[in-house]
Amino acid sequence: MASEDITKLAESLAKTKVGGGQLSFKGQSLKLNTAEDAEEVIKQIKEFDGLEALRLEGNTVGVEAAKVIAKALEKKSELKRCHWSDMFTGRLRSEIPPALISLGDALITAGAQLVELDLSDNAFGPDGVRGFEALLKSPACYTLQELKLNNCGMGIGGGKILAAALKECHRKSSAQGKPLALKIFVAGRNRLENDGATALAEAFGIIGTLEEVHMPQNGINHPGITALAQAFAINPLLKVINLNDNTFTEKGAVAMAETLKALRQIEVINFGDCLVRSKGAVAIADAVKEGLHKLKELNLSFCEIKRDAALTVAEAIEDKAELEKLDLNGNCLGEEGCEQLQEILEGFNMAAVLGSLSDDEGEEEDDEEEEEDEDEEEEEEEEEEQQQLKEREQESLTPKKIIDSQVSLLPDDSTPVPSPPVDVATFLAFPSPEKLLRLGPKCSVLIAQQTDTSDVEKVVTALLRISSVFKDEAPVKTAVHETTDALMRKAFTSATFNSDAFITSLLIHMGLLKSEEKIKAVPSLYGILMTLNHMVQQDYFPKSLAPVLSAFKRCFELKETCWVSSHCLSEL
């Protein structure tokens, strides 16, 4: 190491902030390649008694330096906070996983109990998530409250690996009597898309203790947004939801609005640049009006919201005494609409909460053709997403070559852990063939027991979720048939079950019968058609319903909608 480099390092270390259990090398631009480069850093760590927080942001740490720093951390059992963002500048992506593995192993060896782990701004990609996967599953993270992974380029694969690790951590920590109670999750700018978001949503639903979720700019469309909304609904402590710069459209916005109605602690809603559009904005306004009395900030900027919908949002905040900011900039209010908006807020003595409207797009005339175009655009997006989903189902999470190349990087004790158990609620929320099989031999009984057969809509929903995982493979096919039989036998033999209402609702959800209400049809009829073919041959299936299905036989074959009003079905 050159003498001038040693001098520079010494000067930087002289600026190191020490105090309150924290040792900081933040922003010192240290280039730690070798063990020799890291000698002074190691010395500081070793000599620091009661080390609770280590800041390494704004430096660059190589594989060899990471190993010796890790060695120094093996005796720091009191370490709770790892501020390790932006610490691999200029490194090859292949260098990052082994460096993270060394550091993670050290924390496990030390018996540390982390509260905060920040690995933001480290462009490690999906492979990098493997680098701290073992750490997340270990006792060192059973106490984790804050996980920050902003701008790491995880992608869909990394999101799935992360979700699986969080679920495993929760399972293991629960077995120890103290479940993982994650409070803050940050993962903006990671290209998670729908699949990554859906995988994480499943983990969030299991954890249930989140207070803040920040996932802006991830390319998430309405299926992923809907999955997140379902997960947020079972995290009652949520205070901050930041999904800025994703694509809700009306469907995602409506799903999120329904969740907001169930949350009581929400303080910040950031749906800016999320294309919620007017109908979505009205749905969110209804949720705000019904509750959210602790709301401090509502951001619906740049969402293609028109004047009337924006005014509805303004009216919804009338009794929100704690509101500090309302952002409706960049929408389509027009000059008159902006003035009306300000007048409404002035009437509530809340004019000060309104943000700038300088980027308003001007009022647009209501255009039915435009709305139809938007609907068609969403349908095309759905078809494309479903095709992508089918393609991804054929691929493994990480290509075998990548996994093989990483075997040498995994810790010695990285024995594969069995998949965590699945409950009925998890399967019905995020159905898959694997989850159905993992419910075990009693899956049919469990689902039938936990479905309220007095509610036709719940039965239809459960049946569609079960049939959606149908595969022409013996184990899955048998599980679907047995579960369907248990559920529908219970329903059809119940004196309070309305068979006619059931078949009507089922046909509507299949997209074969027109409804006066806007109901999303299932993306594929294959599973439900195969399941219906089995059902009609069973003794529990009412013979009176056979003519109804026969009337729709041609629709089944063509997979086209029979545009018949639902109230006319009884005449068929």
Side-chain angles (χ1 to χ4, degrees), residues 327-330 333 337-339 341-342 354-360:
D327 192 346
L328 289 168
N329 198 19
L333 281 66
C338 290
E339 291 176 357
L341 182 64
Q342 291 167 336
L354 182 62
S356 170
L357 297 173
S358 60
D359 292 320
D360 185 72

Side-chain angles (χ1 to χ4, degrees), residues 306-424:
K306 297 179 182 178
R307 180 182 63 179
D308 291 347
L311 299 182
T312 300
V313 172
E315 291 168 351
I317 67 168
E318 179 179 3
D319 62 345
K320 306 301 175 245
E322 296 186 29
L323 192 71
E324 299 171 0
K325 184 178 181 181
L326 171 63
D327 192 346
L328 289 168
N329 198 19
N331 287 300
C332 309
L333 281 66
E335 185 176 346
E336 184 179 345
C338 290
E339 291 176 357
Q340 290 177 318
L341 182 64
Q342 291 167 336
E343 288 174 3
I344 290 173
L345 294 175
E346 285 172 0
F348 302 155
N349 293 318
M350 298 178 71
V353 307
L354 182 62
S356 170
L357 297 173
S358 60
D359 292 320
D360 185 72
E361 295 289 338
E363 187 172 9
E364 296 180 2
E365 295 182 2
D366 290 333
D367 192 342
E368 291 183 5
E369 290 184 6
E370 180 182 334
E371 291 182 3
E372 290 176 3
D373 289 342
E374 290 175 357
D375 291 340
E376 289 176 5
E377 181 183 325
E378 289 187 16
E379 289 175 6
E380 289 174 1
E381 287 176 0
E382 271 188 40
E383 291 175 2
E384 183 178 345
E385 287 157 9
Q386 290 301 321
Q387 182 60 35
Q388 291 174 349
L389 182 59
K390 289 178 182 178
E391 291 173 358
R392 285 172 187 150
E393 285 176 349
Q394 305 303 317
E395 302 172 357
S396 59
L397 182 57
T398 303
K400 186 177 185 298
K401 289 183 179 179
I402 295 178
I403 293 174
D404 289 344
S405 69
Q406 291 173 344
V407 170
S408 61
L409 301 179
L410 294 174
D412 294 337
D413 61 348
S414 59
T415 304
V417 181
S419 298
V422 175
D423 57 21
V424 171

Side-chain angles (χ1 to χ4, degrees), residues 98-238:
L100 288 173
I101 287 172
S102 295
L103 294 168
D105 285 352
L107 298 177
I108 296 170
T109 300
Q113 294 185 315
L114 295 185
V115 172
E116 179 179 0
L117 177 61
D118 186 355
L119 292 171
S120 299
D121 301 314
N122 290 310
F124 45 59
D127 299 347
V129 184
R130 294 286 190 198
F132 60 94
E133 180 184 16
L135 173 63
L136 280 180
K137 295 178 179 180
S138 75
C141 284
Y142 290 178
T143 51
L144 195 64
Q145 295 180 13
E146 302 180 28
L147 179 58
K148 300 174 181 178
L149 299 166
N150 200 57
N151 191 31
C152 290
M154 290 189 291
I156 295 170
K160 290 182 175 181
I161 296 169
L162 175 62
L166 288 173
K167 290 189 290 184
E168 183 66 8
C169 180
H170 186 272
R171 185 185 73 82
K172 287 182 171 181
S173 57
S174 297
Q176 297 294 320
K178 194 172 182 180
L180 171 67
L182 191 66
K183 294 181 179 180
I184 298 175
F185 179 83
V186 181
R189 300 184 66 189
N190 271 291
R191 305 191 311 276
L192 294 170
E193 301 183 20
N194 290 331
D195 288 0
T198 299
L200 285 167
E202 187 173 343
F204 296 162
I206 292 171
I207 293 169
T209 56
L210 288 167
E211 296 181 11
E212 296 185 21
V213 175
H214 303 263
M215 296 175 65
Q217 205 171 346
N218 268 297
I220 308 170
N221 298 329
H222 68 82
I225 296 298
T226 299
L228 288 171
Q230 293 170 343
F232 292 166
I234 42 183
N235 280 267
L237 302 177
L238 265 175

Side-chain angles (χ1 to χ4, degrees), residues 402-478:
I402 295 178
I403 293 174
D404 289 344
S405 69
Q406 291 173 344
V407 170
S408 61
L409 301 179
L410 294 174
D412 294 337
D413 61 348
S414 59
T415 304
V417 181
S419 298
V422 175
D423 57 21
V424 171
T426 300
F427 166 73
L428 292 177
F430 309 95
S432 73
E434 294 75 17
K435 290 193 189 73
L436 182 61
L437 295 177
R438 277 162 51 196
L439 280 172
K442 294 185 178 180
C443 63
S444 58
V445 177
L446 292 172
I447 291 177
Q449 286 177 342
Q450 296 184 39
T451 301
D452 181 6
T453 52
S454 66
D455 188 327
V456 166
E457 286 301 316
K458 289 182 179 179
V459 175
V460 170
T461 298
L463 177 62
L464 290 172
R465 296 290 172 86
I466 295 164
S467 63
S468 70
V469 307
F470 180 91
K471 282 186 177 181
D472 198 19
E473 299 173 3
V476 177
K477 184 177 181 179
T478 300

Side-chain angles (χ1 to χ4, degrees), residues 56 63 65 83 92 115 127 159 208 213 222 242 303 357 422 440 495 526 542 570:
L56 293 173
V63 176
H83 302 279
L92 297 174
V115 172
D127 299 347
V213 175
H222 68 82
N242 176 8
C303 282
L357 297 173
V422 175
Y526 174 73
S570 59

Side-chain angles (χ1 to χ4, degrees), residues 55-67:
R55 308 196 76 105
L56 293 173
E57 311 104 306
N59 300 291
T60 178
V61 182
V63 176
E64 187 178 340
K67 287 180 179 179

